Amino acid sequence: MSTPGGEDSTQRGQPSAQDTGTTADLDELARRLAEAARGLQQQLDPQQVLDRVVSLAVAMVPGADEATITMVRARRHVYSAAATGDVAAWFDVLQDETGEGPCLDAMWHQQTVRVDDLPADPRWPVLGPRAGERGVGSMLCLQLFVHEDTLGALDLLAHQKSAFTDESEHIGLLLASHAAIAVAGAQKLEHAAVALVHRDLIGQAKGILMERFKITADQAFDVLAKVSQDTNRKLHAVAEDLTRTGMLDR
């Protein structure tokens, strides 16, 4: 296809005539990461994004056999937000039980942690041997995001020791950066959708009160707010009950 100026549009974005092809592998990596990023951005639900991230991690990062996204809330409760298999999910349970692990270090110290021999590593004397019994030989852990009191890490597990290389780290860090942006975007969309639903419920409840008691919108809102305060319930919950039952539970 030619442009008005006569140039072939299929040649756009192609290497120059002087290019020797030495960056072909990097170009392929960039293409795959771009496709991954677009796929993540198309997912509107945060859980779908997390599930997609762990699948991509195993598919793209050399050495990875399983992956999990470890979440820590208030620096206490450790759990798996998404996992590709039973061992990956179990590993987060183990971290929660023992209070130690490379993924926790990656989150709390904001660094990438690569472990060549997890069972023998003295940094995790309780967790390491138990993980080895389940077939975890090495790991690569990358901080994914920090949101208020919740931390997240992308953790890659391998059955073999020394399975991860500098290339693994490079690709893992790039994927983690794309994933963090996608998760943040999905969470914002989810929060916005919830806010719209709540606003609609409150509007409907105000309409019911205005019609029933011939009061203004401000007065109707004050009634809902008073019931919310008296019953120690969220305003949208009071509004939902009113629209569903036609009654205000005082």
Side-chain angles (χ1 to χ4, degrees):
M1 177 179 175
S2 296
T3 64
E7 57 178 80
D8 189 348
S9 63
T10 61
Q11 296 304 310
R12 290 178 181 172
Q14 299 299 314
S16 70
Q18 289 80 19
D19 185 82
T20 59
T22 56
T23 63
D25 290 342
L26 292 177
D27 293 340
E28 175 61 16
L29 172 59
R31 183 190 64 78
R32 293 177 64 197
L33 283 169
E35 290 180 353
R38 284 193 292 270
L40 288 173
Q41 291 170 356
Q42 290 172 358
Q43 304 294 332
L44 301 181
D45 177 71
Q47 186 60 54
Q48 291 179 344
V49 174
L50 297 176
D51 291 339
R52 181 65 174 153
V53 168
V54 291
S55 296
L56 284 170
V58 173
M60 296 186 65
V61 178
D65 292 315
E66 289 196 41
T68 176
I69 291 179
T70 303
M71 302 279 280
V72 177
R73 184 165 292 134
R75 290 184 173 266
R76 290 188 299 271
H77 180 47
V78 181
Y79 63 98
S80 177
T84 57
D86 293 339
V87 173
W90 167 84
F91 187 81
D92 282 326
V93 174
L94 181 62
Q95 289 192 115
D96 190 43
E97 290 178 355
T98 61
E100 63 181 44
C103 311
L104 302 184
D105 291 352
M107 285 186 287
W108 289 335
H109 302 300
Q110 300 184 19
Q111 64 183 9
T112 299
V113 179
R114 189 165 96 193
V115 189
D116 291 332
D117 188 351
L118 182 60
D121 200 303
R123 290 175 290 181
W124 309 288
V126 178
L127 175 140
R130 290 182 60 183
E133 292 172 359
R134 289 292 298 267
V136 183
S138 54
M139 291 195 67
L140 176 61
C141 307
L142 312 110
Q143 187 185 70
L144 191 58
F145 60 84
V146 177
H147 179 67
E148 297 177 351
D149 66 344
T150 300
L151 299 90
L154 174 60
D155 311 313
L156 310 176
L157 298 82
H159 302 309
Q160 294 185 348
K161 297 177 181 178
S162 302
F164 298 104
T165 63
D166 291 347
E167 181 186 12
S168 303
E169 280 195 35
H170 177 65
I171 295 175
L173 285 167
L174 290 173
L175 179 60
S177 65
H178 285 299
I181 294 171
V183 170
Q187 287 176 331
K188 287 179 181 178
L189 285 172
E190 183 181 51
H191 293 160
V194 170
L196 287 172
V197 170
H198 290 171
R199 187 176 68 181
D200 187 50
L201 284 171
I202 293 170
Q204 292 179 42
K206 285 167 57 179
I208 292 172
L209 293 176
M210 291 166 65
E211 174 65 24
R212 183 176 299 173
F213 300 110
K214 309 303 179 186
I215 57 180
T216 67
D218 289 342
Q219 290 172 327
F221 183 84
D222 289 342
V223 171
L224 293 172
K226 183 67 165 58
V227 174
S228 172
Q229 183 178 9
D230 291 345
T231 60
N232 195 28
R233 297 159 62 215
K234 296 290 187 181
L235 184 65
H236 67 81
V238 173
E240 182 179 11
D241 283 349
L242 176 59
T243 57
R244 180 169 49 85
T245 67
M247 299 177 63
L248 275 176
D249 183 8
R250 296 177 179 271

